[in-house]
Amino acid sequence: MFLKFFKKANPPDDLQLVQQYRVTGDMDCLGELFERHTEMVYLVCLKYLHDEDNSKDATMQVFESLTELLLKHEISNFKSWLHVITKNHCLMQLRAKKGQEQVRLEDASPPFMENADLFHLSDAELQEQSEQQLRQGLETLPPEQRTCVELFYLQQKSYKEIAEQTNFDLNKVKSYIQNGKRNLKLYLEKHHEPR
């Protein structure tokens, strides 16, 4: 019983730190997030950039960008959101670098010739582009649909768990997921046309 008084309070979780930063602008919150996730961000950068120094620089750039990004985006899962932000940052660097290199036409396979955007994208970049479109599509959904779709598909929650977590009726949860999935499909079809 006596030791209970000396027990440390649980540290705030990532979303609490994000919220605290959004309200107060306290850079210590970002510092704490930086300490928790530097290794993950660095490893993602290293995976894409294949260079330690560039990956260290990119890690710092990602965390510097958070000062503004955290104020612009609603975040439900900080770690996965940060992972996507990091991958997108690396891909933008790779595209900028690729734009400076000469592309030999004989290196491209014929199917890519019809679409100029795809001509410059590797498989990893195409996957990243798809993930980015998916994230953008999720942002267009009504909040209830977005919440239920993210919990069901991204966090693998059951209908019952989602109903308990959101206080939505079970039938509403199913409806939000079904409608959200349909709306997301329509968004992706509309925005996946070749430019």
Side-chain angles (χ1 to χ4, degrees):
M1 175 81 178
F2 179 72
L3 292 176
K4 211 158 98 175
F5 292 111
F6 295 100
K7 188 176 174 188
K8 273 190 170 180
N10 288 336
D13 65 26
D14 291 345
L15 289 180
Q16 289 171 326
L17 286 169
V18 168
Q19 191 57 36
Q20 191 175 342
Y21 171 75
R22 289 171 65 117
V23 171
T24 65
D26 184 357
M27 295 302 283
D28 289 340
C29 298
L30 286 184
E32 178 66 29
L33 290 168
F34 177 78
E35 280 185 37
R36 292 180 186 183
H37 300 288
T38 307
E39 185 178 0
M40 184 266 295
V41 170
Y42 171 74
L43 291 173
V44 171
C45 291
L46 192 59
K47 174 183 171 187
Y48 286 93
L49 303 178
H50 305 290
D51 180 90
E52 288 184 15
D53 289 335
N54 288 343
S55 297
K56 288 175 186 172
D57 291 343
T59 299
M60 293 308 294
Q61 290 163 1
V62 166
F63 279 99
E64 286 169 11
S65 71
L66 292 187
T67 57
E68 292 180 18
L69 291 175
L70 289 176
L71 300 175
K72 293 179 184 174
H73 297 275
E74 286 299 321
I75 302 161
S76 59
N77 183 331
F78 178 76
K79 190 173 181 180
S80 73
W81 177 82
L82 181 60
H83 193 272
V84 171
I85 294 294
T86 304
K87 288 192 294 187
N88 289 343
H89 178 82
C90 292
L91 290 174
M92 282 172 37
Q93 283 195 348
L94 289 172
R95 284 185 194 125
K97 186 178 176 186
K98 194 177 252 188
Q100 296 167 359
E101 296 173 359
Q102 197 71 11
V103 179
R104 292 178 20 198
L105 289 178
E106 59 268 21
D107 290 343
S109 57
F112 288 104
M113 296 296 281
E114 294 173 14
N115 188 329
D117 283 347
L118 296 179
F119 184 75
H120 297 287
L121 300 179
S122 69
D123 288 343
E125 289 171 320
L126 286 171
Q127 183 178 349
E128 293 310 316
Q129 189 178 55
S130 296
E131 286 180 19
Q132 189 173 7
Q133 286 176 335
L134 182 64
R135 283 271 168 215
Q136 290 168 345
L138 281 169
E139 293 296 321
T140 67
L141 296 179
E144 299 87 356
Q145 290 180 12
R146 183 174 67 236
T147 299
C148 291
V149 167
E150 286 178 344
L151 289 171
F152 187 74
Y153 289 104
L154 300 180
Q155 297 183 29
Q156 309 293 312
K157 301 271 188 195
S158 67
Y159 291 133
K160 186 179 176 195
E161 289 171 323
I162 296 169
E164 289 169 0
Q165 188 171 335
T166 60
N167 292 324
F168 296 145
D169 178 74
L170 193 62
N171 288 330
K172 281 279 187 197
V173 169
K174 291 177 183 177
S175 174
Y176 288 145
I177 290 171
Q178 185 178 3
N179 292 333
K181 185 176 159 189
R182 185 186 67 242
N183 290 336
L184 194 55
K185 183 175 183 236
L186 291 172
Y187 173 89
L188 292 173
E189 286 171 357
K190 181 178 176 185
H191 291 85
H192 196 355
E193 296 168 0
R195 295 182 188 106

